[in-house]
Amino acid sequence: MSSHYEAPIRKPLIIGDKNYHDVTVDVARPVEGRANKHWWIAFTIALIAFLWGVACVSYTVGTGIGTWGSNKTVGWAWDITNFVWWVGIGHAGTLISAVLLLFRQKWRMAINRSAEAMTIFSVIQAAMFPVFHMGRPWLAYWVMPIPNQFGSLWVNFNSPLLWDVFAISTYLSVSLVFWWTGLLPDFAMLRDRAVTPFTKRVYSIVSFGWSGRAKDWQRFEEVSLVLAGLATPLVLSVHTIVSFDFATSVIPGWHTTILPPYFVAGAIFSGFAMVNTLLIIMRKVSNLEAYITVQHIELMNIVIMITGSIVGTAYITELFIAWYSGVEYEQYAFINRATGPYWWAYLLMMTCNVVSPQVMWFKKIRTSIMVSFIISIVVNIGMWFERFVIIVTSLHRDYLPSSWTMFQPTFVDAGFFIGTIGFFFVLFLLYSRSFPVIAQAEVKSIMKTSSETYKKLRDNGHDNHSHSEHNHH
Amino acid sequence: MYTFSNSLRTFAFILMAVGILGIGYSFFTAPTSLEEVEQILAAEHHGGHGEAGAHEAAGAEHHEAEAAHAEHADVPAVVEHSAAEAEGTHEGHDSVNAVATHAEHDTVATSHDAASPTGDAQEAGHDEHSELAHAADKAAIDAVHDAHKGHDAHAEHDAHKEHAEHVFKQLQNKPWAALYVAAIFFMLISLGVLAFYAIQNVAQAGWSPVLFRVMEGITSYLLPGSIVVFVLLVLGVLQFHHLFIWMDPAVVAEDHLIKAKSGYLNGTFTLIRAVIFFGGWILYRQYSRKQSLAQDEATDNLAYKKSFKAAAGFLAFFIVTESIMSWDWIMSVDPHWYSTLFGWYVFASFFVSGITTIALVTLYLKSKGYLEYVNTSHIHDLAKFMFGISVFWTYLWFSQFMLMWYADMPEEVVYFKMRIDNYNLPFFGMVVMNFVFPILILVNTDFKRLSWIVVMAGIVILCGHYVDFFNMIMPATVGDQWFIGAGEIGSVLFFFGLFIFVVFTALTKVPLLAKRNPLIEESKHFHY
């Protein structure tokens, strides 16, 4: 791959005096140790929220979808808002593991594992909404093109909702395979360090007998690259297909061609914000500050700033074209967003998504962990409102004024959403105690180019401008 | 230092000379009077207008007319009035109106309501050609299911005259449109390279600094290229050509829809915007070039840091101005049509062309023994970008096309209807050239390191994206009178020659390797 030479202007990605063994120990520590009180408190809260969600979903399925606040005009509201929000969050994981791999970004090494975990857990949350927002979820299997006894009654492949089924299920399975492949060397490391027979057994099962031979590594890298090459168009297409749910319609405010790339940009935006939220906590509680450095947070903030600007450009484009189109329905849709009964949601979305990422232009702000943490949450609030605004404000007032109405969520709407947040954290908290949260094998591969220790050695031992010894390619 | 070889210089001059001949010929042979058009039409139609349905392609009337009939047969219930209206609009200048004739009988019914903006669009055409509309009105009452009777309306004398005038305008536009497509295509290639250069700078890419001087050479075309495009825009505002119908006050006065947009679409404001856009881009280009050269002689990284900041600022400016530019200079040739994705779609098209140009110029210089440090890994990376952005272009092309096709809303789908009916081969051919071919050939790792493969793929990609711009501009300006002839080829050759001359002259000015870029050592030793 790339040469061992690295320009002196690049800052170290592994700070402190770390060697290969230190990486192993630091990554294995949270898995090998016992959970502390804080973890149990967090886990209990998440579990209660999850169980409350289960109760709300059971109530919905048992009683009927009318327990929600949706009505005859606004048929989609919190259900699809949450669905799109969770799918969007899931996208950063693949972006970090696949796109950043294609762009040879070494800083991805410390964050890809957790980002992928986040992807998988949030796609699981997302996948529940398409099922439970159905009036008859027990017939959900009818969306599959399975030969049957109704004269082989088939599905209609023209609906974006069906494409969603394929997109989400493919996305989940490919992400899972990609994630698990990367985990093999790390599980093998945990297997080899295990002291109890039980953990040894568990980690030897999940590591699939990884022995780390040269041939294995060679194929491992090739598989990673191919999967990254496949996952990148996949991640783009998944959120694109989600955007088609709206863009293929004829609803003013929904039917707009920019939606596919703009949804993808929004997904990266909110996904990176969620990664930032989680990693800022994780680096602290798991003592991983040497690997997830301020530079990592700064770079994620830059991605948030860039995608936030793309999203902002798309907002302005939509506004301009709505005026330019001369279509009064289109024009009204945007006037309604800005000045109608949901103006506050639109204002929140604009402030959180367009204004907040722009503060990242200042180095002081984007290298401040506290501010980054706050903004990362602000962004996710904004992105939830973006989906809410697109869905609800376009539906509640469209072509026929006699069909205009409002939307008011019920506690069941909220309960389901809270439940998915709880479920997400249940999974994520369990993951952080049983999985190697940093891809130690990958981090070790950049030790010699990018760790502080080796950089210092290089600076002291050699002349930077004639680095002949470093070029083994 | 690079020396501009005499043979390449001569080649550039020959291209320009041949190009000028072609352009001159196309202007010289463009019809100057209605009588000439009448003769052309008579020759083309074998004397029968009613048969050809007036608006279907001049080249392949029969086939097209059949298609139109089929459309009629498909329509289950047609509201008479809207049928008449659709007939009325068939003389519209842009590609969106031109196709409204036969395609939309089923859908215009919904837009007949005077309050509806689509109704306005139809109405605009209606007003403009009220004579024809009256004729068509009478005919259309019983011509609902029968395309032939609809066409009878055209047989009437005034309809025929309108048609001849319309074709006259299209034929007069043809040499101008050919010039405009080529001018904007080459200018945007240079802008695409500038965007790529800025991205490489802000991303602190470790592989590309050995190519920076090549990129700077290519962006030197931005200045002359911008001047040409700007002059063409000014000529439009001054009514020397009629590529943009909204620049014609007579059209605006009669067209409600354009009139509503005239706060934005007007000559003065458009030229002011153009000055700002070109000014900003050229400013960044000159400034970053200056800093890049200053860094060579410096003892610290101050120039590098300045150039980094300038690149970040430029990209923020670029994302906004690029979108607006594409509305102003490309989308507005169809002033009744709109698409929110359009700006990014145009971006993908010229961005991939720019990267391809970098690869081709690099390979040329490398083959001549310059660019000591450029190896197959650099070419591999460029080829990966060519591959990736080609797929990205296709993604945007498909998103825009499929969403309009799927929803089938009359005010927007006519754009594609017109292109599929009259530009079938260029429209789908470009998808083959810009997607199918590159994806099949550049997916292979070994292939991406072979010069001849990259050159071959590059030529196809560049031709494909020329066709892309052709498809964006021509339908609205020359309609079904399109043809790739002396004017089109001449314009491409002229700008190609100018491009070579300007770019390779700029390459001779400074050494081809940036000396003190902080990442240059990484780039020199780059292997993948």
Side-chain angles (χ1 to χ4, degrees):
Chain A
M1 296 268 284
S2 50
S3 79
H4 285 269
Y5 174 75
E6 191 168 275
I9 61 159
R10 298 209 194 275
K11 281 176 273 173
L13 291 170
I14 304 166
I15 54 177
D17 189 21
K18 299 283 182 190
N19 59 30
Y20 290 116
H21 182 64
D22 294 334
V23 177
T24 308
V25 173
D26 289 342
V27 172
R29 190 184 304 116
V31 182
E32 290 168 348
R34 301 190 67 84
N36 62 17
K37 203 172 73 192
H38 297 298
W39 186 89
W40 281 109
I41 293 171
F43 183 74
T44 310
I45 295 171
L47 192 66
I48 291 169
F50 170 45
L51 293 174
W52 173 236
V54 172
C56 286
V57 170
S58 313
Y59 176 53
T60 303
V61 175
T63 312
I65 214 79
T67 54
W68 291 0
S70 309
N71 53 52
K72 275 189 271 183
T73 298
V74 186
W76 277 355
W78 275 42
D79 46 354
I80 301 301
T81 301
N82 296 332
F83 162 67
V84 181
W85 188 71
W86 275 119
V87 177
I89 285 174
H91 276 40
T94 316
L95 256 298
I96 287 168
S97 50
V99 179
L100 297 186
L101 174 68
L102 294 183
F103 283 109
R104 301 190 290 258
Q105 298 297 304
K106 289 176 183 168
W107 59 278
R108 63 175 263 287
M109 310 277 187
I111 57 171
N112 59 354
R113 174 68 41 74
S114 295
E116 287 166 47
M118 191 198 73
T119 291
I120 286 153
F121 303 148
S122 48
V123 173
I124 290 171
Q125 309 313 318
M128 286 198 277
F129 289 97
V131 175
F132 292 113
H133 90 311
M134 289 181 177
R136 299 176 185 83
W138 49 90
L139 296 180
Y141 70 98
W142 281 14
V143 305
M144 295 294 176
I146 310 166
N148 53 57
Q149 293 178 328
F150 301 103
S152 235
L153 183 65
W154 222 238
V155 289
N156 184 340
F157 286 93
N158 290 338
S159 166
L161 299 183
L162 182 66
W163 308 340
D164 269 345
V165 174
F166 299 129
I168 301 293
S169 53
T170 311
Y171 186 52
L172 184 60
S173 23
V174 172
S175 302
L176 202 58
V177 170
F178 195 15
W179 187 51
W180 209 276
T181 318
L183 275 162
L184 294 180
D186 292 7
F187 278 148
M189 177 270 282
L190 290 176
R191 169 199 67 197
D192 297 343
R193 288 172 55 87
V195 282
T196 68
F198 176 71
T199 49
K200 186 136 200 117
R201 186 90 190 104
V202 169
Y203 287 113
S204 45
I205 290 171
V206 294
S207 64
F208 294 177
W210 176 266
S211 57
R213 292 170 307 163
K215 200 72 196 169
D216 298 344
W217 277 113
Q218 188 207 358
R219 286 173 180 152
F220 176 88
E221 294 225 338
E222 214 150 305
V223 164
S224 306
L225 214 51
V226 169
L227 280 178
L230 290 173
T232 303
L234 184 63
V235 76
L236 259 75
S237 69
V238 169
H239 219 63
T240 293
I241 287 169
V242 170
S243 83
F244 285 167
D245 295 349
F246 312 103
T248 53
S249 73
V250 293
I251 303 292
W254 280 11
H255 180 71
T256 174
T257 50
I258 207 169
L259 235 52
Y262 145 60
F263 261 49
V264 173
I268 304 169
F269 181 56
S270 66
F272 266 78
M274 186 61 114
V275 176
N276 234 354
T277 312
L278 296 176
L279 288 187
I280 286 172
I281 299 173
M282 181 183 270
R283 70 194 286 275
K284 189 87 190 159
V285 297
S286 299
N287 294 311
L288 297 168
E289 281 114 326
Y291 308 99
I292 302 165
T293 68
V294 175
Q295 195 193 167
H296 288 84
I297 292 168
E298 185 187 358
L299 287 165
M300 285 194 276
N301 282 333
I302 290 174
V303 176
I304 290 172
M305 179 187 84
I306 294 169
T307 48
S309 305
I310 295 174
V311 168
T313 313
Y315 288 167
I316 298 165
T317 304
E318 277 196 317
L319 283 172
F320 173 77
I321 297 290
W323 171 79
Y324 181 87
S325 71
V327 180
E328 61 181 14
Y329 300 110
E330 202 63 47
Q331 291 170 342
Y332 181 71
F334 285 88
I335 292 171
N336 181 45
R337 277 183 196 182
T339 63
Y342 292 107
W343 64 271
W344 51 274
Y346 186 72
L347 185 71
L348 253 172
M349 139 189 160
M350 276 289 183
T351 323
C352 297
N353 296 348
V354 182
V355 182
S356 79
Q358 297 306 320
V359 300
M360 298 299 186
W361 284 93
F362 303 99
K363 196 180 173 75
K364 262 226 169 68
I365 291 182
R366 67 172 183 261
T367 50
S368 153
I369 292 172
M370 200 55 200
V371 180
S372 305
F373 184 71
I374 294 167
I375 297 241
S376 70
I377 290 170
V378 166
V379 164
N380 268 316
I381 294 172
M383 284 308 290
W384 191 89
F385 275 100
E386 182 200 286
R387 278 65 179 252
F388 177 79
V389 164
I390 292 175
I391 294 171
V392 172
T393 66
S394 307
L395 285 177
H396 87 121
R397 288 185 175 180
D398 64 351
Y399 293 112
L400 279 179
S402 58
S403 307
W404 286 7
T405 181
M406 290 293 290
F407 165 76
Q408 188 67 48
T410 65
F411 79 94
V412 193
D413 283 301
F416 191 1
F417 182 43
I418 292 167
T420 54
I421 295 174
F423 191 15
F424 175 82
F425 278 104
V426 164
L427 292 170
F428 199 84
L429 284 165
L430 287 172
Y431 148 84
S432 66
R433 303 246 2 105
S434 51
F435 281 55
V437 295
I438 284 184
Q440 52 90 28
E442 297 209 52
V443 166
K444 285 172 183 170
S445 74
I446 56 167
M447 179 68 89
K448 282 193 172 162
T449 53
S450 309
S451 74
E452 196 178 359
T453 319
Y454 278 87
K455 273 181 180 285
K456 271 191 187 138
L457 269 176
R458 206 154 53 213
D459 287 350
N460 300 335
H462 311 277
D463 175 6
N464 268 321
H465 296 286
S466 70
H467 34 77
S468 45
E469 286 108 308
H470 296 293
N471 301 315
H472 312 288
H473 38 247
Chain B
M1 290 291 275
Y2 170 70
T3 41
F4 198 167
S5 77
N6 273 330
S7 53
L8 187 64
R9 196 197 309 266
T10 316
F11 178 60
F13 283 131
I14 293 173
L15 285 174
M16 282 190 269
V18 174
I20 287 173
L21 286 178
I23 295 167
Y25 175 80
S26 70
F27 274 98
F28 186 71
T29 51
T32 50
S33 69
L34 261 180
E35 286 72 46
E36 274 183 64
V37 176
E38 298 280 9
Q39 283 166 9
I40 294 169
L41 286 176
E44 277 179 357
H45 287 219
H46 309 294
H49 281 280
E51 172 202 67
H55 261 272
E56 303 306 334
E61 298 92 338
H62 257 298
H63 178 73
E64 299 287 351
E66 268 167 28
H69 287 235
E71 293 275 349
H72 281 269
D74 285 345
V75 178
V78 179
V79 179
E80 285 98 302
H81 218 78
S82 56
E85 275 202 342
E87 294 288 344
T89 57
H90 88 291
E91 294 282 359
H93 292 270
D94 53 331
S95 65
V96 171
N97 259 357
V99 78
T101 331
H102 307 294
E104 302 308 331
H105 285 205
D106 49 347
T107 33
V108 276
T110 57
S111 62
H112 176 54
D113 179 8
S116 124
T118 327
D120 281 353
Q122 307 292 354
E123 208 105 82
H126 197 91
D127 290 352
E128 209 178 319
H129 308 286
S130 51
E131 275 182 325
L132 172 76
H134 279 297
D137 227 329
K138 273 181 264 161
I141 290 167
D142 54 347
V144 181
H145 285 281
D146 187 347
H148 272 295
K149 288 202 183 152
H151 294 316
D152 285 346
H154 299 274
E156 292 189 26
H157 181 68
D158 48 356
H160 166 74
K161 195 167 157 251
E162 291 270 1
H163 172 60
E165 276 170 11
H166 183 55
V167 173
F168 179 45
K169 278 180 190 161
Q170 292 182 328
L171 289 175
Q172 277 201 314
N173 270 343
K174 206 170 162 291
W176 286 103
L179 199 62
Y180 186 65
V181 171
I184 206 162
F185 179 61
F186 280 94
M187 185 278 290
L188 288 179
I189 283 181
S190 167
L191 183 64
V193 174
L194 190 66
F196 189 73
Y197 177 75
I199 291 170
Q200 295 299 311
N201 267 292
V202 286
Q204 298 189 314
W207 67 279
S208 55
V210 291
L211 301 172
F212 278 179
R213 287 291 146 81
V214 177
M215 297 182 208
E216 288 166 16
I218 299 173
T219 56
S220 68
Y221 179 78
L222 188 61
L223 181 61
S226 303
I227 292 171
V228 174
V229 173
F230 187 71
V231 167
L232 284 171
L233 290 174
V234 172
L235 290 179
V237 173
L238 297 177
Q239 297 292 305
F240 280 89
H241 63 73
H242 304 279
L243 299 181
F244 301 89
I245 55 162
W246 55 266
M247 287 181 180
D248 184 350
V251 173
V252 178
E254 288 176 350
D255 191 319
H256 300 182
L257 212 56
I258 300 183
K259 203 187 267 173
K261 298 177 190 191
S262 60
Y264 181 81
L265 285 184
N266 63 70
T268 323
F269 191 24
T270 304
L271 291 182
I272 293 172
R273 286 197 298 272
V275 168
I276 295 169
F277 302 165
F278 281 133
W281 303 335
I282 292 166
L283 191 71
Y284 167 68
R285 193 270 156 188
Q286 302 305 88
Y287 181 79
S288 61
R289 167 79 159 182
K290 200 177 126 199
Q291 297 306 330
S292 169
L293 297 180
Q295 179 68 21
D296 272 7
E297 308 304 325
T299 49
D300 56 11
N301 283 344
L302 189 67
Y304 167 78
K305 283 176 188 154
K306 278 185 181 170
S307 145
F308 177 91
K309 285 189 174 163
F314 164 74
L315 287 172
F317 178 74
F318 176 78
I319 187 178
V320 177
T321 53
E322 188 278 329
S323 290
I324 304 177
M325 169 276 283
S326 59
W327 306 332
D328 283 6
W329 306 341
I330 303 175
M331 195 167 86
S332 81
V333 293
D334 280 306
H336 289 166
W337 184 78
Y338 54 88
S339 165
T340 40
L341 184 56
F342 196 75
W344 297 357
Y345 169 70
V346 170
F347 166 71
S349 188
F350 71 77
F351 191 56
V352 70
S353 309
I355 294 166
T356 304
T357 308
I358 299 173
L360 296 184
V361 175
T362 305
L363 283 171
Y364 172 79
L365 292 171
K366 180 79 187 163
S367 75
K368 295 289 165 194
Y370 300 98
L371 301 179
E372 181 191 352
Y373 290 100
V374 171
N375 56 41
T376 52
S377 293
H378 296 97
I379 302 303
H380 186 182
D381 267 23
L382 284 170
K384 275 190 273 189
F385 271 108
M386 285 161 61
F387 172 85
I389 310 291
S390 287
V391 177
F392 181 64
W393 173 87
T394 316
Y395 161 64
L396 296 180
W397 172 82
F398 180 74
S399 296
Q400 185 168 276
F401 172 65
M402 192 281 277
L403 289 176
M404 292 194 172
W405 168 83
Y406 192 109
D408 203 22
M409 294 162 96
E411 66 266 36
E412 55 179 33
V413 82
V414 284
Y415 183 83
F416 291 111
K417 167 79 179 149
M418 198 294 174
R419 279 154 179 81
I420 290 172
D421 282 351
N422 296 314
Y423 288 72
N424 199 287
L425 182 65
F427 186 70
F428 290 108
M430 80 172 171
V431 181
V432 176
M433 295 166 86
N434 295 340
F435 175 61
V436 180
F437 184 78
I439 201 175
L440 290 180
I441 199 131
L442 290 179
V443 75
N444 185 308
T445 297
D446 297 329
F447 281 9
K448 285 192 281 267
R449 289 170 183 268
L450 295 176
S451 303
W452 70 272
I453 293 263
V454 176
V455 170
M456 180 175 68
I459 291 170
V460 173
I461 289 173
L462 285 178
C463 293
H465 285 281
Y466 169 77
V467 177
D468 189 9
F469 281 94
F470 187 87
N471 283 332
M472 293 186 220
I473 304 281
M474 290 297 177
T477 50
V478 306
D480 56 17
Q481 302 297 317
W482 73 275
F483 182 69
I484 296 187
E488 287 75 12
I489 295 169
S491 302
V492 170
L493 293 183
F494 173 76
F495 287 107
F496 185 35
L498 184 68
F499 186 83
I500 291 176
F501 180 72
V502 172
V503 169
F504 286 86
T505 305
L507 287 170
T508 61
K509 305 282 187 206
V510 290
L512 287 181
L513 186 68
K515 257 183 277 172
R516 279 198 70 265
N517 184 302
L519 296 160
I520 195 78
E521 291 299 329
E522 262 188 34
S523 183
K524 276 153 94 172
H525 298 95
F526 171 67
H527 273 270
Y528 181 75

